[in-house]
């Protein structure tokens, strides 16, 4: 047992990666999150670990939506493994665990109010982006059967080991490059949508701070068109008060989630205008 943790070296005297390094890296990466969850949502740590185990057991690399951030490109793995059949049951379990986890967290931070019809079939969910809490709110709201996956910035969420573990296992994120190649990264999600999945995209490309929405990028809309699924606009209100941009501390504040009607063959400027209208005319967020 003690040899398992003993520091090993290669033939050249270079320290080798210790056995069990992946497990220890996971625990280290979850430590900051664990402290936060222990304060705001005791008991959610068990759900977090179950989500990690479920994702590991189902080998998400086979879906093409696990990502290749460790390779430095942020793109999916290519070849037959990227299109291999997926057993849905473990993925549904992982989705259910994530939903329960983030519902517990959001409830402890003030709750959420859902307005409009939550989508039930495959779609590309497009939302405004003001906070990292946006992702948690959407995962807490979307149905388990959609196994929601989140398009995440490769240069931020997949650049460091801790963020990569958090994004993959607790959020279900996959890397999308923002400095070239992002379109190809998104379009590889077509087969996941064909299997009834949901993909969450923040088309502004980053978190904003002003009242006006930034220009929407076209990748999410091209993905929806090629996959033959609708774009569902979502307006999120109150998340910036829960966790501000560059903020390190969460605050209690209610959140409002408003779903618009599914848009087929919609253009980016049309959906941007629709979300802007929902943000302007929507009522103040309320707890729930």
């Amino acid at each position: 047992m003690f040899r398992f943790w003993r520091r090993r070296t290669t033939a050249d005297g270079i320290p080798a990666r210790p056995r069990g390094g992946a497990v220890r890296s996971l625990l280290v990466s979850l430590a900051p999150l664990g402290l936060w969850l222990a304060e705001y949502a005791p008991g959610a740590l068990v759900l977090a670990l179950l989500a990690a185990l479920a994702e590991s057991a189902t080998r998400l690399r086979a879906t093409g939506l696990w990502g290749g951030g460790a390779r430095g490109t942020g793109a999916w793995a290519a070849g037959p493994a990227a299109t291999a059949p997926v057993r849905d049951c473990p993925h549904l379990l992982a989705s259910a665990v994530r939903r329960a986890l983030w519902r517990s967290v959001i409830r402890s931070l003030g709750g959420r109010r859902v307005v409009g019809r939550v989508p039930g079939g495959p779609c590309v969910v497009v939302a405004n982006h003001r906070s990292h809490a946006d992702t948690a709110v959407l995962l807490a709201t979307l149905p388990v059967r959609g196994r929601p996956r989140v398009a995440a910035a490769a240069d931020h969420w997949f650049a460091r080991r801790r963020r990569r573990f958090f994004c993959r296992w607790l959020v279900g994120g996959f890397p999308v490059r923002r400095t070239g190649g992002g379109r190809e990264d998104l379009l590889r999600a077509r087969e996941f949508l064909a299997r009834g999945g949901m993909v969450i995209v923040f088309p502004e490309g980053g978190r904003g701070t002003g009242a006006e929405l930034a220009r929407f990028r076209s990748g999410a809309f091209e993905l929806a068109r090629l996959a033959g699924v609708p774009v569902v606009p979502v307006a999120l209100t109150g998340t910036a008060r829960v966790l501000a941009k560059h903020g390190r501390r969460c605050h209690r504040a209610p959140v409002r989630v408003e779903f618009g009607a599914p848009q087929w063959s919609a253009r980016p400027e049309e959906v941007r205008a629709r979300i802007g209208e929902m943000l302007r005319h929507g009522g103040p967020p309320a707890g729930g």
Side-chain angles (χ1 to χ4, degrees):
M1 180 178 69
F2 295 103
R3 290 182 179 180
F4 182 85
W5 299 104
R6 184 176 297 173
R7 188 182 184 92
R8 298 178 296 119
T9 58
T10 63
D12 298 328
I14 301 175
R17 184 175 181 177
R19 299 182 180 93
V23 176
R24 282 183 288 176
S25 296
L26 170 62
L27 296 177
V28 171
S29 68
L30 291 180
L33 175 67
L35 293 175
W36 182 82
L37 288 176
E39 178 181 358
Y40 290 101
L45 284 175
V46 176
L47 295 175
L49 292 175
L50 286 175
L53 291 173
E55 293 295 355
S56 178
T58 54
R59 301 183 66 180
L60 281 182
R61 286 187 186 276
T63 69
L65 289 178
W66 175 270
R71 298 181 178 86
T73 63
W76 282 283
T83 57
V86 181
R87 295 179 181 177
D88 284 339
C89 185
H91 293 277
L92 288 171
L93 172 62
S95 178
V97 169
R98 281 200 199 99
R99 190 175 192 232
L101 166 66
W102 293 118
R103 278 197 170 191
S104 175
V105 172
I106 296 301
R107 187 181 301 114
S108 70
L109 291 174
R112 63 195 165 86
R113 178 188 176 192
V114 180
V115 179
R117 185 175 181 180
V118 178
C123 62
V124 177
V125 176
V126 171
N128 59 303
H129 198 22
R130 293 294 179 269
S131 168
H132 286 321
D134 296 334
T135 301
V137 172
L138 288 174
L139 290 176
T141 306
L142 292 172
V144 169
R145 62 181 175 274
R147 293 106 64 211
R149 317 302 299 177
V150 183
D155 58 319
H156 178 79
W157 289 108
F158 289 83
R160 297 182 181 181
R161 180 181 297 177
R162 293 183 182 182
R163 291 176 182 172
R164 188 160 60 242
F165 272 115
F166 174 85
C167 188
R168 283 175 173 170
W169 289 12
L170 299 184
V171 178
F174 62 91
V176 175
R177 291 167 286 183
R178 293 190 290 188
T179 56
R183 174 182 174 276
E184 290 76 12
D185 294 341
L186 270 177
L187 293 185
R188 292 191 184 186
R190 283 180 292 178
E191 295 199 13
F192 176 69
L193 289 169
R195 294 194 298 270
M198 294 180 178
V199 175
I200 300 171
V201 181
F202 298 107
E204 293 177 273
R207 291 167 295 165
T209 55
E212 292 296 322
L213 296 172
R215 180 181 65 87
F216 277 16
R217 302 185 181 186
S218 62
F221 304 90
E222 186 173 0
L223 169 63
R225 179 178 60 82
L226 293 177
V229 301
V231 169
V232 176
V234 180
L236 300 171
T237 309
T239 52
R241 287 186 289 172
V242 173
L243 180 61
K245 184 177 181 179
H246 304 309
R248 293 181 177 272
R249 184 177 178 82
C250 292
H251 302 275
R252 289 182 58 85
V255 175
R256 185 175 189 273
V257 188
E258 182 174 355
F259 288 89
Q263 305 289 316
W264 296 85
S265 303
R267 293 182 297 177
E269 56 270 21
E270 295 173 347
V271 175
R272 177 178 178 271
R274 176 59 183 141
I275 293 177
E277 181 181 359
M278 290 191 292
L279 291 173
R280 288 190 297 270
H281 296 95

